Amino acid sequence: MSSKFYKFFDFLLSSIGTRTLYYFWFVGLFSISTGSFAQNIIDSVYVPNLIQHTPDSILIAPTDTIRPDSAAVKPKKKPLESEFKYQSSDSTDIDLELKQVKLYRNAQVNYQGIELKAAYILLDMNTKTLMAYGKKDSLGEVYGKPQFKEGKEEFTADSMVYNFETKKGIIKGVFTQQGEGYLHSEINKKLANNEICIKNGKYTTCDHEHPHFYLALTKAKVIPDDKIVSGPAYLVIEDVVLPIGIPFGFFPNRKGGASGVIIPTYGDDLSRGFNLTNGGYYFYINDYTDTKFIGDIYSNGSWGLANETRYNVKYLFNGSLYGKYSKFLKYSDEPNKTEEVTYNIKWTHNQDPKAHPYQTFSASVDFGSSKFKQYNNTSQNDRLSTSQNSSISYNRRFANSPFSLSVNARQSQQTSINNTQNVGKMDFTLPELNLSMSRIQPLKRKTRVGSERWYEKIGFSYTGNFRNVATGIDEDTLWTNYTLQQFRNGVQHSIPLSISLNVLKYLNISPSISLTERWYFKSLDRYYNADSARVEIDTIDGFARAGDFLISIPVSTKLYGMYQIKGKNPLVKAFRHIVTPTVSFSWRPDFSEPQWGYYQEIYHNDSLIGNYSRFEGGSGAWNGIYGSPAAGRSGMVNFNLSNNFEMKVRNRKDTVTGGKIIKLIDRLSVRTGYNMAVDTLNWSNVDFSAGTQIGQILNIDMSMNFDPYEINMNTGKRINYLLWQDGKLGRLNSANLSTGLRLTSKGLKNEKPNRNLSENERETLRNHGISDQMIDQGYADFSMPWNISVNYAINFRNSFNSSLKDFEETISQTLNINGSVNITTNWKASVTSGWDFQKDEVSYTSVTLMRDLHCWQMSFNWVPFGAYQSYYFKINVKSAMLQDLKYEQRRSWLEEL
């Protein structure tokens, strides 16, 4: 019996570790050491023997006690400072002799800033008092309880007596809100400065008339917008008194924030042992900034420290800065131990749209060690992500001009524990500058007379880009000179010049020429090394340029086909087919020819070995970030055929058209091209793609790529022989299929009339948010709110393996399932899972159960297996004021990966 009591007491201590009770315990210990210090504080803020004051001694203004004959002199009555307004719905009884007014049923009195409502109100002009209380109906239920309002102060009571001259009162059965909390009390004394003295009170954050939990206060004093000071108090949950008492305490009742202790969370970890996490101290700096310092400690010696600072300046910007450093110890069978140090920095910054009309600044930084998510408690989304990315951006638009400027910095890092080869690899873009000019039409007349002339449609735009990038940086070499040496940079200018014309009414022609200029600060010089019998590369520092251009003339139109169903109001009214053919011609010269100077021909013994670009060195050498002008002349004719199939069905709800459009195939396209500038291998690969949506619940997308030419099985290169000649479409290089199914309870409706439903059935519908009007119109949804989504993707690759001298097929598949259901209005369950086809096992699975307990909330998260196997149970008070009144239990079985 005693062991069970101690376990129960231990549970209570862990669950009632609130910041407020820490104040209680601290002050309580201090009071023990200083004798009667605690009682002196309580007496200084509390009027003793409150209930023994009679209403007359409290409410009636005292007479003059200075004059000796004051008892014989009748005090002068002060006139009312403003008009009394009163009303009632039943009757009003006015007694002129006693100067009393009695108001019955829905009574209301207004005087200056005071408003009082009740079932019965007595107004006594002699004593300047108001007395109000509720009445009982035939069933014994009390109605019309007094509701008092003065300025921002407002409360409900069972009865009250109030002196509107001294602004003092005795109130019984009070229920009032104080900040985020609610105060219940049996007897109160209201003072002239709006302070309230309480006896037998309850303080809670539950808004029910009979709260689910509260701190029982034997006596207390409420100082508005400052604090609530209490005498001895104890915790009560569901009317069960818990064996936890405190001598006295302070409840913050101020507007704004306050600093305080953050209670840590207890947990158990398979590899690190027992732990206390996320405990520390919160600092409220001002209305714009706050910060908190928290830490983790584990029984095996591991630890972590973190800081999070938030800032918010209204109409300007807001954001947060988070940083954590942790050290985890790993023990093996040997006595030696190894350390795993992880760190993470997160910064988010958002500018308010009203801050500046022409410029914006934003940041989303997530930078740190690749194993941070593995060793630290992170969210489910963080666990499933395969990378962490950072970006900082500044954008500026120049007023009354087409120009804009943007400056960006980006970083990405591979963090997937399943990709051990590239885990920790980083890519940097630091910085990137873009100067752009929106499209302008320089030949357009400022004052147009008549129709627009064709040359006025000529327009061009400009984009200038500077980038400094480094790719594949290893985490271990990040802070070394090696990383600086890996950065590559350059400048690119792009000027597209175009015009859009309508020819023969139905043809759209958009001729364009695209000019591209690349600037580098390095280039390559190759030479043949006879000793090694190979081509060597030297990197030359200095400015180098490379420019190219492309001329393009696309022509497109739309063709419509319609088939209407005959008959009297058929269900399917018509089918429509939309075809969008596009033919585009583009021409580009051969920029590898010597006159351009972008390529270098290498000879050995008067024999041409190769023609190499001065800006692309291949693997292990310097490569220009914008590439090089293309080699080989191109005269491409590209063909694209897009199709859309729709069906029009009868729809009685649409009284205008009487029909509804349903897309059968949203997209079906075929694309290929023919190069007229080459002698062989003229045809490009053939691409097929299709996509549709069925019933607004199922999405299907697919694509295929075919190579029309045969392959030399010895070299793996294409030969000039079309597979079409053998009646084949081509060789399948790749194929992709993805589908997503989403079902929700909102989509299920029963349109049968429901006017004969029973009252219980109607009440069920009302609880789901359906009005009586919608029920009478035939709307019913008896299902519980739920949703489920299933996403499946399969990818096929057919690539040539030079070592096997044959094609090698690879198939990859992914399956993800997400679902949630509201079991009742307060219970909700959700599941995330899937199937890993490569490992042939269930992928990351998480089960979450949540319960709304009105003023409390409960959650349970369970990861049953895998690298993040764990469970986490939490029950806590919803209110932020008592956020540490909670019980948490967690355990993880972190795998060593």
Side-chain angles (χ1 to χ4, degrees):
M1 184 69 180
S2 60
S3 63
K4 292 183 178 179
F5 174 79
Y6 285 125
K7 289 182 179 178
F8 177 70
F9 188 74
D10 181 69
F11 165 79
L12 293 176
L13 287 178
S14 62
S15 61
I16 312 302
T18 69
R19 185 180 300 117
T20 302
L21 292 183
Y22 261 92
Y23 298 153
F24 292 165
W25 290 326
F26 173 77
V27 176
L29 294 174
F30 190 74
S31 65
I32 294 174
S33 63
T34 56
S36 61
F37 176 73
Q39 188 61 42
N40 292 336
I41 291 182
I42 297 175
D43 293 341
S44 68
V45 296
Y46 183 77
V47 178
N49 301 323
L50 166 67
I51 309 306
Q52 296 171 11
H53 284 280
T54 63
D56 290 342
S57 65
I58 294 178
L59 302 177
I60 301 176
T63 57
D64 193 350
T65 59
I66 299 177
R67 295 176 54 184
D69 55 346
S70 60
V73 178
K74 199 171 184 178
K76 294 182 180 180
K77 296 183 179 180
K78 296 182 180 180
L80 296 176
E81 297 180 0
S82 63
E83 179 185 4
F84 251 108
K85 296 182 181 180
Y86 55 85
Q87 63 182 19
S88 64
S89 62
D90 190 337
S91 60
T92 303
D93 185 3
I94 303 177
D95 191 328
L96 297 178
E97 183 177 352
L98 298 177
K99 295 185 179 180
Q100 292 181 346
V101 179
K102 299 178 181 179
L103 307 174
Y104 298 91
R105 190 173 286 274
N106 296 327
Q108 179 175 337
V109 173
N110 294 86
Y111 176 68
Q112 293 182 338
I114 299 173
E115 178 182 283
L116 177 63
K117 298 179 181 179
Y120 171 81
I121 298 177
L122 170 63
L123 171 61
D124 192 329
M125 301 304 297
N126 284 321
T127 60
K128 303 291 192 301
T129 60
L130 289 167
M131 183 174 68
Y133 53 83
K135 293 282 189 176
K136 290 185 178 181
D137 58 17
S138 59
L139 299 177
E141 299 290 336
V142 178
Y143 69 92
K145 289 185 177 182
Q147 297 178 1
F148 180 85
K149 183 177 181 180
E150 182 180 10
K152 295 181 180 180
E153 183 184 4
E154 187 174 356
F155 60 80
T156 302
D158 292 338
S159 64
M160 68 174 295
V161 179
Y162 179 75
N163 188 301
F164 51 81
E165 183 177 35
T166 63
K167 295 187 177 181
K168 297 180 180 179
I170 290 291
I171 311 157
K172 295 183 178 181
V174 172
F175 173 67
T176 181
Q177 183 173 359
Q178 296 290 330
E180 294 185 30
Y182 297 89
L183 197 60
H184 303 250
S185 59
E186 290 183 2
I187 302 177
N188 304 278
K189 176 182 177 182
K190 180 185 179 301
L191 305 181
N193 59 359
N194 287 329
E195 294 181 357
I196 299 176
C197 300
I198 298 170
K199 183 176 183 180
N200 296 334
K202 303 175 183 177
Y203 183 76
T204 180
T205 57
C206 179
D207 59 0
H208 271 196
E209 184 176 357
H210 187 78
H212 297 104
F213 82 101
Y214 58 87
L215 286 170
L217 312 175
T218 55
K219 54 184 179 178
K221 185 173 184 179
V222 178
I223 304 175
D225 297 330
D226 189 3
K227 56 181 172 287
I228 300 175
V229 186
S230 79
Y234 51 90
L235 183 65
V236 179
I237 297 180
E238 291 292 353
D239 294 331
V240 177
V241 178
L242 301 184
I244 297 179
I246 52 176
F248 69 96
F250 296 89
F251 294 85
N253 193 32
R254 295 179 180 178
K255 295 182 179 179
S259 302
V261 176
I262 301 174
I263 308 303
T265 299
Y266 170 79
D268 184 14
D269 191 284
L270 182 64
S271 59
R272 291 169 286 185
F274 302 106
N275 57 77
L276 293 174
T277 59
N278 297 323
Y281 199 84
Y282 168 81
F283 291 94
Y284 175 78
I285 301 174
N286 52 41
D287 291 340
Y288 308 104
T289 310
D290 63 2
T291 186
K292 64 179 179 181
F293 292 90
I294 55 178
D296 307 330
I297 186 169
Y298 298 83
S299 59
N300 79 332
S302 302
W303 55 271
L305 292 175
N307 170 259
E308 181 179 4
T309 301
R310 300 181 301 177
Y311 54 89
N312 188 352
V313 180
K314 196 173 183 180
Y315 304 126
L316 289 179
F317 54 81
N318 64 82
S320 64
L321 178 63
Y322 171 86
K324 184 171 185 178
Y325 179 89
S326 56
K327 181 180 291 187
F328 295 101
L329 304 180
K330 296 185 292 185
Y331 294 89
S332 58
D333 296 335
E334 295 80 12
N336 297 329
K337 62 182 179 181
T338 58
E339 295 182 353
E340 188 70 50
V341 176
T342 65
Y343 64 92
N344 185 250
I345 297 174
K346 292 183 179 180
W347 177 36
T348 60
H349 180 91
N350 300 290
Q351 179 178 310
D352 193 287
K354 305 181 186 67
H356 199 284
Y358 300 116
Q359 66 182 23
T360 60
F361 177 79
S362 63
S364 177
V365 175
D366 185 2
F367 176 80
S369 55
S370 58
K371 294 186 178 181
F372 179 82
K373 298 175 183 178
Q374 177 183 347
Y375 286 97
N376 292 268
N377 293 322
T378 54
S379 66
Q380 177 174 301
N381 291 334
D382 286 340
R383 293 173 181 175
L384 297 179
S385 65
T386 59
S387 63
Q388 54 188 22
N389 304 281
S390 303
S391 65
I392 302 174
S393 176
Y394 169 80
N395 296 277
R396 169 81 187 195
R397 291 188 301 110
F398 298 95
N400 303 318
S401 78
F403 291 96
S404 62
L405 173 69
S406 68
V407 182
N408 303 280
R410 289 186 293 271
Q411 179 264 346
S412 64
Q413 181 180 7
Q414 176 65 245
T415 60
S416 174
I417 58 178
N418 295 322
N419 188 356
T420 57
Q421 182 177 358
N422 295 319
V423 66
K425 297 293 185 180
M426 300 183 186
D427 297 334
F428 290 92
T429 302
L430 187 67
E432 179 180 17
L433 283 76
N434 285 284
L435 177 64
S436 61
M437 181 189 72
S438 59
R439 191 172 186 271
I440 61 173
Q441 296 171 264
L443 302 180
K444 192 171 185 177
R445 291 169 290 175
K446 293 183 179 180
T447 303
R448 191 176 73 180
V449 179
S451 60
E452 186 179 22
R453 297 168 185 172
W454 69 268
Y455 56 82
E456 292 184 88
K457 298 180 180 180
I458 298 175
F460 70 95
S461 61
Y462 166 79
T463 301
N465 177 268
F466 166 79
R467 273 192 292 163
N468 186 43
V469 301
T471 58
I473 303 300
D474 193 80
E475 187 176 6
D476 298 332
T477 61
L478 175 62
W479 309 107
T480 63
N481 290 331
Y482 173 79
T483 299
L484 298 177
Q485 298 171 1
Q486 300 307 305
F487 275 94
R488 299 174 292 122
N489 46 59
V491 181
Q492 179 173 272
H493 308 272
S494 300
I495 302 177
L497 178 68
S498 63
I499 182 174
S500 181
L501 301 172
N502 186 270
V503 180
L504 301 177
K505 192 177 179 179
Y506 299 109
L507 297 178
N508 297 315
I509 303 178
S510 303
S512 66
I513 178 171
S514 298
L515 306 176
T516 303
E517 178 75 8
R518 304 170 183 84
W519 292 351
Y520 294 120
F521 306 100
K522 291 182 179 180
S523 60
L524 301 176
D525 181 54
R526 288 179 170 85
Y527 62 94
Y528 183 78
N529 189 332
D531 295 333
S532 60
R534 64 179 183 180
V535 178
E536 303 286 354
I537 301 177
D538 284 339
T539 302
I540 309 299
D541 292 329
F543 177 80
R545 60 163 297 275
D548 62 7
F549 62 89
L550 176 70
I551 299 174
S552 177
I553 306 176
V555 180
S556 65
T557 188
K558 282 185 179 293
L559 304 175
Y560 295 88
M562 179 79 73
Y563 178 77
Q564 294 185 338
I565 306 299
K566 297 180 180 180
K568 185 177 180 180
N569 197 18
L571 177 61
V572 179
K573 291 190 170 185
F575 292 93
R576 185 171 71 168
H577 179 202
I578 305 174
V579 182
T580 306
T582 302
V583 179
S584 175
F585 171 77
S586 61
W587 179 82
R588 183 197 67 225
D590 183 1
F591 290 103
S592 66
E593 294 179 350
Q595 66 266 24
W596 300 103
Y598 305 145
Y599 283 74
Q600 184 180 11
E601 294 181 344
I602 303 299
Y603 289 87
H604 175 60
N605 296 331
D606 297 330
S607 177
L608 179 64
I609 297 177
N611 196 9
Y612 301 96
S613 171
R614 295 182 180 272
F615 309 102
E616 292 179 336
S619 177
W622 178 85
N623 291 274
I625 59 175
Y626 302 109
S628 173
R633 188 174 55 174
S634 173
M636 290 294 301
V637 179
N638 294 305
F639 306 94
N640 185 71
L641 187 65
S642 298
N643 297 268
N644 178 276
F645 296 91
E646 298 175 342
M647 177 176 64
K648 186 175 183 181
V649 298
R650 185 177 60 203
N651 185 12
R652 294 177 180 177
K653 295 182 180 179
D654 191 340
T655 58
V656 179
T657 63
K660 178 182 178 181
I661 302 298
I662 297 177
K663 292 184 177 181
L664 300 178
I665 299 179
D666 189 36
R667 183 189 73 259
L668 175 61
S669 63
V670 182
R671 184 175 62 252
T672 188
Y674 185 85
N675 191 352
M676 298 185 298
V678 296
D679 298 328
T680 59
L681 304 176
N682 306 86
W683 287 99
S684 302
N685 287 0
V686 181
D687 292 316
F688 288 90
S689 64
T692 189
Q693 183 173 343
I694 301 175
Q696 297 182 348
I697 61 173
L698 179 64
N699 293 315
I700 301 176
D701 287 283
M702 62 172 297
S703 63
M704 293 183 290
N705 179 273
F706 292 90
D707 188 342
Y709 288 100
E710 186 61 88
I711 289 289
N712 187 323
M713 300 301 290
N714 293 321
T715 62
K717 296 182 178 180
R718 303 165 81 193
I719 59 177
N720 195 31
Y721 180 82
L722 287 169
L723 295 174
W724 301 342
Q725 299 175 226
D726 298 333
K728 298 179 181 179
L729 183 60
R731 185 184 61 263
L732 182 61
N733 286 335
S734 63
N736 303 284
L737 171 66
S738 63
T739 178
L741 174 67
R742 179 172 174 81
L743 299 174
T744 64
S745 56
K746 294 181 180 180
L748 303 180
K749 298 181 181 180
N750 181 4
E751 297 183 353
K752 294 182 180 179
N754 298 303
R755 296 177 179 83
N756 297 325
L757 293 176
S758 67
E759 185 58 31
N760 290 336
E761 291 173 325
R762 285 176 171 266
E763 186 63 28
T764 301
L765 294 175
R766 294 189 190 104
N767 292 336
H768 284 80
I770 304 173
S771 65
D772 287 337
Q773 181 182 3
M774 296 176 67
I775 296 173
D776 292 336
Q777 290 176 351
Y779 183 103
D781 186 357
F782 291 100
S783 61
M784 296 179 292
W786 55 268
N787 70 80
I788 183 171
S789 61
V790 181
N791 297 286
Y792 173 76
I794 180 171
N795 301 302
F796 169 81
R797 293 289 181 273
N798 186 25
S799 56
F800 185 80
N801 190 321
S802 57
S803 59
L804 298 176
K805 297 187 181 301
D806 198 358
F807 285 94
E808 187 175 11
E809 298 179 355
T810 57
I811 297 177
S812 60
Q813 303 177 74
T814 58
L815 174 65
N816 296 305
I817 302 175
N818 297 279
S820 66
V821 58
N822 294 340
I823 304 172
T824 67
T825 55
N826 295 322
W827 280 99
K828 183 175 182 179
S830 61
V831 178
T832 298
S833 187
W835 184 260
D836 190 329
F837 289 90
Q838 292 180 341
K839 295 184 178 180
D840 199 23
E841 63 183 19
V842 178
S843 59
Y844 178 87
T845 299
S846 173
V847 180
T848 302
L849 188 65
M850 291 170 285
R851 175 70 161 91
D852 188 345
L853 300 170
H854 185 250
C855 50
W856 291 65
Q857 60 186 5
M858 182 195 74
S859 64
F860 176 73
N861 178 261
W862 178 40
V863 180
F865 43 76
Y868 299 102
Q869 182 181 358
S870 61
Y871 73 83
Y872 177 40
F873 174 80
K874 180 180 180 181
I875 181 170
N876 64 287
V877 175
K878 287 183 180 178
S879 173
M881 186 173 184
L882 297 177
Q883 61 183 332
D884 293 320
L885 188 57
K886 62 185 177 180
Y887 174 76
E888 291 179 294
Q889 181 67 41
R890 71 168 74 226
R891 188 175 185 185
S892 65
W893 290 263
L894 182 66
E895 294 182 4
E896 299 295 340
L897 298 174

